[in-house]
Amino acid sequence: MSSSTSTISLYSHPRVIKSHSPHSLRSRFLSGSGVLLFSPAAVSVVLVGSGRKCGVRFRGLVVRVAASSMADGRGSRRAASGRRVVYRESQAEPAPSPFKQHKLPVMLRNGNTNFCLQLTVLWKLVEKLLIPKPERTASMENKSPPQGMNWSFAVGTNLLPGLKAKIDRESKQKLNEFAKELRTFRSVDMSGRNFGDEGLFFLSESLGYNQTVEEVSFAANGITAEGIKAFDGVLQSNIVLKTLDLSGNPIGDEGIKCLCDILADNASILKLQLNSTDLGDEGAKAIAELLKKNSSLRVLELNNNMIDYSGFTGLAGALIENNTIRNLHLNGNYGGALGANALAKGLEGNKSLRELHLHGNSIGDEGIRALMSGLSMHKGKTTLLDISNNSISARGAFYVAEYVKKSKSLLWLNLYMNDIGDEGAEKIAEALKQNRSITTIDLGGNNIHAKGVTDIAQVLKDNSVITTLELSYNPIGPDGAKALSEVLKFNGNVNTLKLGWCQIGAKGAEFIADTLKYNTTISVLDLRANGLKDEGAACLARSLKVVNEALTSLDLGFNEIRDDGAFAIAQALKANEDVAVTSLNLANNFLTKFGQSALTDARDHVYEMSEKEINVFF
């Protein structure tokens, strides 16, 4: 909705009907749906000449209201037939009063004094009622309405002109403050300020002459393709800016093309973020041309746009010629199997790429096969591969496993939210037995059961490289928890274990609790939404009483724990003066104020005894 305002008039436009004849006392004032009728016959005055008695006869004042919808249906027509009215065309002089032209001489004698005074008052009342109001002329109606009210259809913008001017001044003041930040700090975050294209043109001047700021975010500010022109000449002259974030702005392909033309001669920017910018294939092709010319860019983020197969092909061609890009983020696009196949060919000739983010591109098994082939021939050292949420089944897991066996540089592998199942988990486990580089692996949400987890657990007996294991959203159950616990009790080097939404129940919590008594590496443990209840919480509480210098963060949210479970954990915290836990999450359980008070007291007790702070979340 437009934020422009228009001015309205608060004047009304009444219809005024006046009578010019002093003897034609019958007159009407039309207003709304009714007619006020004043009858001169209702008042009669007899004047007696000099020396004779002044006789005054008062028959009363009759005021009748004739609605437009009278019962007999003829009232308004009868009234209209007997009136003669003239519309005044000018209000240079006020309408004459019929009563000012005929004075009423009244002799105040004897006992008639009070009566005459009453009569005088009645005449004044009738005179006041029958004096018509001045009619507005056409010139007055066309006159600009009085200043003082601005009207806008936008919510909250019925503002006085002075207030609007104040807001304009404050906006300019804010922009001046932003400009000062650009000239003062090395890292400036101006995301979500909604200053739009005009604000960017204002700020770009400070950015052009600034030799201080190295990171700046203009994300989510309503900047369009027109606003991108503000960077012309600015980014060429600025030689210190290293990170530019324009994410969340509706720039579109035209804006991206303009930006790429500007950045062609820029040698300082290392990281360019263009996530959620309405970027399509044409914009991706423009970026591809930029990569062929620009040798300084290291990180390129194009997440959550509309890049299809054609755009992927263009970027793949650029990877062959560009040997400086390190991280490429293409999450949430539409590459599909064909896009992955094209990208694989680009990877074969590239030597620089380290991180490849392809989450949510519907690559599928065939696309994964081509991609893994390209990565195997990649001459660079790939350290991070994100292929989560890509409809990969056990067959696709086989291709991934083959690549994992050969890779000596991969540190982080994300297969989250696919469907590799137990069969795929077994293939990944076999590959991990040979791999000695991967430290973080995410297999969450892959429909892995106890059997698949058992295969993964066996790897940890000999593999001390893996430090983070994500298995959330897999129905491993108590048996899967048992298989992991038996291995992790004395083996492995896992410090972050995530088992949220794994259906392990109180029995599974008992196995995990037993492991915590002996394990010396697990620092972060996530057991959310496993139906632990009070019984499972009590099992974990017993483990917390034992000296454990490793566990620092315990997440028990969404576990139907009540006050009894909270009391057990509170007592464990009080009993163990050497407890290492600094973060305890019990949010979204069934605790009352009594359970919460018990945990709060335990937290305070630990602080008083050891000056260690525990953050407890309800």
Side-chain angles (χ1 to χ4, degrees):
M1 187 173 292
S2 174
S3 60
S4 62
T5 60
S6 59
T7 307
I8 63 169
S9 172
L10 300 181
Y11 288 142
S12 59
H13 302 277
R15 296 174 57 195
V16 181
I17 302 178
K18 304 175 183 177
S19 174
H20 292 271
S21 173
H23 302 292
S24 179
L25 192 59
R26 177 173 294 151
S27 62
R28 299 169 190 172
F29 179 75
L30 301 179
S31 176
S33 61
V35 178
L36 292 180
L37 178 63
F38 299 92
S39 175
V43 180
S44 62
V45 180
V46 178
L47 300 179
V48 182
S50 177
R52 298 183 60 182
K53 181 179 179 179
C54 179
V56 181
R57 181 163 55 92
F58 175 71
R59 291 171 53 191
L61 175 63
V62 179
V63 180
R64 290 179 289 172
V65 179
S68 60
S69 57
M70 288 186 175
D72 60 0
R74 300 187 302 273
S76 59
R77 288 195 296 270
R78 287 199 304 269
S81 62
R83 76 168 181 261
R84 300 178 63 183
V85 296
V86 178
Y87 287 87
R88 292 181 59 84
E89 297 298 328
S90 172
Q91 63 174 39
E93 294 293 335
S97 170
F99 299 101
K100 290 184 179 180
Q101 296 180 14
H102 296 272
K103 305 290 184 179
L104 178 63
V106 179
M107 298 178 62
L108 305 179
R109 295 184 303 176
N110 302 329
N112 293 327
T113 302
N114 292 335
F115 175 74
C116 291
L117 286 174
Q118 294 174 358
L119 180 60
T120 302
V121 171
L122 287 173
W123 275 114
K124 292 292 184 181
L125 175 62
V126 173
E127 180 182 18
K128 184 176 182 180
L129 290 173
L130 292 182
I131 292 176
K133 295 181 180 180
E135 183 179 2
R136 289 174 53 83
T137 62
S139 60
M140 179 177 291
E141 292 179 0
N142 294 331
K143 184 180 179 181
S144 299
Q147 298 297 321
M149 178 69 76
N150 284 343
W151 180 266
S152 169
F153 290 102
V155 176
T157 55
N158 297 331
L159 306 174
L160 296 175
L163 183 56
K164 182 177 183 297
K166 179 181 179 182
I167 291 176
D168 291 339
R169 289 195 301 271
E170 290 178 351
S171 298
K172 293 178 180 178
Q173 182 179 358
K174 285 292 183 183
L175 287 175
N176 284 324
E177 292 175 1
F178 296 160
K180 185 178 179 180
E181 290 183 23
L182 286 174
R183 296 190 298 267
T184 306
F185 302 104
R186 290 188 177 276
S187 180
V188 179
D189 184 359
M190 294 184 185
S191 60
R193 307 299 178 90
N194 200 33
F195 48 69
D197 293 339
E198 295 181 1
L200 184 60
F201 272 97
F202 180 86
L203 295 171
S204 62
E205 182 177 356
S206 297
L207 189 62
Y209 292 101
N210 169 64
Q211 299 299 322
T212 302
V213 65
E214 295 181 358
E215 300 179 6
V216 62
S217 174
F218 291 139
N221 274 296
I223 300 170
T224 67
E226 186 65 24
I228 296 299
K229 297 177 183 178
F231 290 122
D232 191 14
V234 172
L235 297 182
Q236 291 92 333
S237 62
N238 188 301
I239 60 174
V240 298
L241 185 64
K242 292 180 173 59
T243 299
L244 177 61
D245 187 358
L246 292 171
S247 300
N249 289 297
I251 298 172
D253 287 343
E254 292 303 316
I256 296 298
K257 291 177 182 178
C258 178
L259 181 64
C260 289
D261 291 339
I262 295 171
L263 290 176
D265 298 325
N266 180 278
S268 65
I269 293 181
L270 305 178
K271 184 176 181 179
L272 180 61
Q273 296 170 277
L274 297 171
N275 306 312
S276 303
T277 53
D278 296 340
L279 167 64
D281 287 338
E282 294 303 315
K285 291 176 182 178
I287 292 175
E289 293 301 315
L290 171 65
L291 290 176
K292 295 177 182 179
K293 303 173 184 177
N294 187 296
S295 60
S296 62
L297 199 60
R298 298 293 186 271
V299 180
L300 178 61
E301 295 186 8
L302 304 175
N303 300 323
N304 303 316
N305 282 296
M306 298 175 289
I307 306 175
D308 211 323
Y309 160 69
S310 179
F312 270 69
T313 302
L315 292 171
L319 289 178
I320 298 175
E321 299 185 32
N322 181 291
N323 284 301
T324 57
I325 191 74
R326 296 288 187 270
N327 304 344
L328 181 59
H329 298 249
L330 291 168
N331 296 331
N333 282 284
Y334 301 89
L338 293 177
N341 186 67
L343 200 58
K345 295 179 180 179
L347 291 171
E348 292 179 8
N350 181 272
K351 299 179 181 179
S352 62
L353 196 67
R354 299 288 186 270
E355 296 184 10
L356 181 59
H357 301 256
L358 292 172
H359 167 90
N361 270 280
S362 303
I363 294 175
D365 292 338
E366 286 303 314
I368 287 296
R369 181 187 63 79
L371 188 63
M372 294 303 108
S373 176
L375 284 171
S376 297
M377 300 178 67
H378 178 55
K379 298 177 182 179
K381 296 181 179 180
T382 305
T383 59
L384 186 150
L385 178 61
D386 183 357
I387 48 176
S388 57
N389 193 21
N390 270 298
S391 304
I392 302 171
S393 69
R395 187 162 68 94
F398 169 77
Y399 302 126
V400 176
E402 291 301 306
Y403 168 68
V404 169
K405 290 178 183 178
K406 301 174 184 177
S407 175
K408 296 181 180 181
S409 60
L410 192 63
L411 302 175
W412 196 89
L413 175 62
N414 188 358
L415 279 165
Y416 181 75
M417 283 298 168
N418 284 293
D419 192 19
I420 67 174
D422 291 340
E423 184 181 353
E426 181 182 3
K427 291 180 172 62
I428 296 296
E430 291 175 356
L432 291 174
K433 290 179 181 179
Q434 301 180 37
N435 181 283
R436 287 297 181 270
S437 64
I438 294 178
T439 61
T440 299
I441 182 166
D442 189 342
L443 298 173
N446 268 286
N447 196 30
I448 299 172
H449 298 75
K451 182 183 181 302
V453 168
T454 301
D455 293 331
I456 297 294
Q458 294 303 310
V459 174
L460 302 175
K461 287 183 177 181
D462 301 320
N463 188 319
S464 60
V465 179
I466 297 176
T467 57
T468 299
L469 179 59
E470 166 71 87
L471 292 169
S472 298
Y473 299 98
N474 285 301
I476 68 174
D479 293 337
K482 181 180 179 181
L484 273 174
S485 299
E486 289 177 348
V487 173
L488 292 175
K489 187 180 293 186
F490 302 108
N491 299 281
N493 192 33
V494 174
N495 57 49
T496 299
L497 179 61
K498 297 188 177 182
L499 299 174
W501 287 269
C502 282
Q503 305 175 19
I504 68 174
K507 189 64 176 177
E510 184 177 349
F511 296 128
I512 298 295
D514 186 50
T515 298
L516 293 177
K517 294 178 182 179
Y518 305 97
N519 181 278
T520 59
T521 62
I522 297 177
S523 175
V524 178
L525 179 60
D526 181 0
L527 296 175
R528 285 176 294 170
N530 273 292
L532 304 186
K533 300 184 178 180
D534 289 342
E535 183 181 354
C539 292
L540 293 168
R542 287 192 290 270
S543 295
L544 292 177
K545 289 182 179 180
V546 181
V547 176
N548 185 313
E549 298 179 356
L551 188 65
T552 59
S553 176
L554 178 60
D555 196 335
L556 299 176
F558 299 96
N559 268 297
E560 304 175 43
I561 299 173
R562 300 179 183 274
D563 289 343
D564 288 344
F567 292 148
I569 294 174
Q571 290 300 319
L573 294 176
K574 288 182 178 180
N576 187 354
E577 296 182 359
D578 297 322
V579 65
V581 173
T582 58
S583 177
L584 177 62
N585 182 25
L586 284 163
N588 298 289
N589 281 292
F590 300 146
L591 306 184
T592 68
K593 61 181 180 180
F594 300 107
Q596 294 177 5
S597 297
L599 289 167
T600 302
D601 291 342
R603 177 199 63 191
D604 295 340
H605 175 80
V606 171
Y607 182 77
E608 291 174 2
M609 298 300 295
S610 62
E611 294 187 354
K612 294 180 180 179
E613 293 187 0
I614 301 178
N615 295 317
V616 182
F617 304 97
F618 302 124

